[in-house]
């Protein structure tokens, strides 16, 4: 038994200065263009009149959904609207039910590290035997590993690592040749 990149669950671990959003958006677009069905959401941050805004793009439809509460320009602290996040998650869950080759979740953030947020989508995807990749900030990687019970591959925040993980994984899910060895993730599934 070995633990390798053939685990269905991947954490794209990023540091300050990395752009996991652009990486995941491009990856999803390329997969969809190649005939796969990538489902999920990736956040898009921008500013309007110097006020930070946050939305998410549904990678399966291209639709943008707002995620921030309008607390005014003088507000500080987290502006994420948990209700809008859960509504976006509901849209992703419905898309998963319609079939997916991969699920992409843009963050294991504060909500998820506290047991809320989009964790239900991870469970839904893995229960349906659909591979999932999620961006995880390096400062929350320990919390992620606890949540995943150690059953996750760690990917650096670069396209080559993401493509290598997918290419090792995708033939298995598409009727490719069976693996000559069982990975830790397969054994404990």
């Amino acid at each position: 038994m070995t633990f390798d990149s053939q685990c269905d669950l991947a954490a794209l671990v990023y540091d300050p200065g990395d752009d996991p959003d652009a990486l995941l958006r491009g990856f999803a677009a390329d997969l969809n263009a190649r005939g796969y069905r990538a489902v999920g959401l990736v956040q898009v941050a921008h500013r309007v009149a110097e006020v930070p805004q946050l939305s998410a793009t549904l990678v399966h439809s291209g639709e943008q959904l707002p995620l921030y509460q309008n607390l005014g320009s003088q507000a500080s602290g987290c502006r994420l609207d948990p209700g809008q996040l859960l509504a976006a998650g509901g849209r992703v869950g419905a898309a998963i039910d319609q079939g997916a080759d991969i699920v992409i979740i843009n963050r294991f953030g504060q909500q998820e590290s506290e047991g809320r947020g989009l964790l239900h989508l991870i469970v839904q995807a893995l229960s349906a035997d659909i591979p999932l990749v999620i961006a995880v900030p390096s400062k929350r990687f320990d919390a992620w590993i606890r949540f995943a019970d150690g059953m996750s591959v760690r990917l650096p925040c670069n396209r080559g690592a993401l493509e290598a993980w997918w290419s090792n994984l995708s033939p298995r899910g598409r009727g490719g040749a069976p693996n000559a060895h069982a990975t830790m993730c397969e054994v404990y599934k």
Side-chain angles (χ1 to χ4, degrees):
M1 264 187 313
T2 60
F3 183 77
D4 61 21
S5 63
Q6 292 182 341
C7 188
D8 289 3
L9 184 58
L12 185 71
V13 180
Y14 66 95
D15 292 307
D18 288 334
D19 190 355
D21 304 322
L23 180 62
L24 289 172
R25 236 185 338 273
F27 179 65
D30 289 349
L31 287 178
N32 286 332
R34 294 189 311 219
Y36 293 101
R37 180 160 155 75
V39 168
L41 66 127
V42 177
Q43 79 182 34
V44 179
H46 55 282
R47 295 180 94 62
V48 174
E50 296 307 309
V51 176
Q53 301 292 313
L54 180 68
S55 59
T57 299
L58 297 177
V59 300
H60 48 281
S61 69
E63 183 180 358
Q64 280 204 358
L65 306 172
L67 296 180
Y68 260 12
Q69 303 176 61
N70 183 0
L71 300 176
S73 62
Q74 301 301 317
S76 62
C78 184
R79 296 173 181 258
L80 177 68
D81 184 330
Q84 289 179 328
L85 179 65
L86 289 177
R91 305 272 299 275
V92 172
I96 291 170
D97 287 342
Q98 294 172 4
D101 293 307
I102 185 172
V103 174
I104 297 172
I105 304 295
N106 78 296
R107 290 286 191 278
F108 182 77
Q110 184 69 35
Q111 293 282 316
E112 289 77 16
S113 66
E114 294 174 353
R116 298 186 308 267
L118 301 178
L119 291 181
H120 65 286
L121 294 177
I122 298 167
V123 172
Q124 181 181 356
L126 295 178
S127 294
D129 203 24
I130 302 169
L132 182 134
V133 62
I134 185 169
V136 178
S138 57
K139 69 181 182 182
R140 290 201 173 100
F141 187 71
D142 289 343
W144 166 254
I145 286 298
R146 282 190 299 278
F147 167 76
D149 202 23
M151 301 309 295
S152 171
V153 63
R154 179 183 178 141
L155 302 176
C157 191
N158 67 62
R159 183 68 181 253
L162 194 53
E163 288 287 351
W165 169 74
W166 177 251
S167 68
N168 283 333
L169 187 67
S170 61
R172 200 168 42 120
R174 294 196 153 307
N179 292 329
H181 67 280
T183 65
M184 292 292 285
C185 289
E186 290 172 322
V187 169
Y188 289 106
K189 246 182 149 177

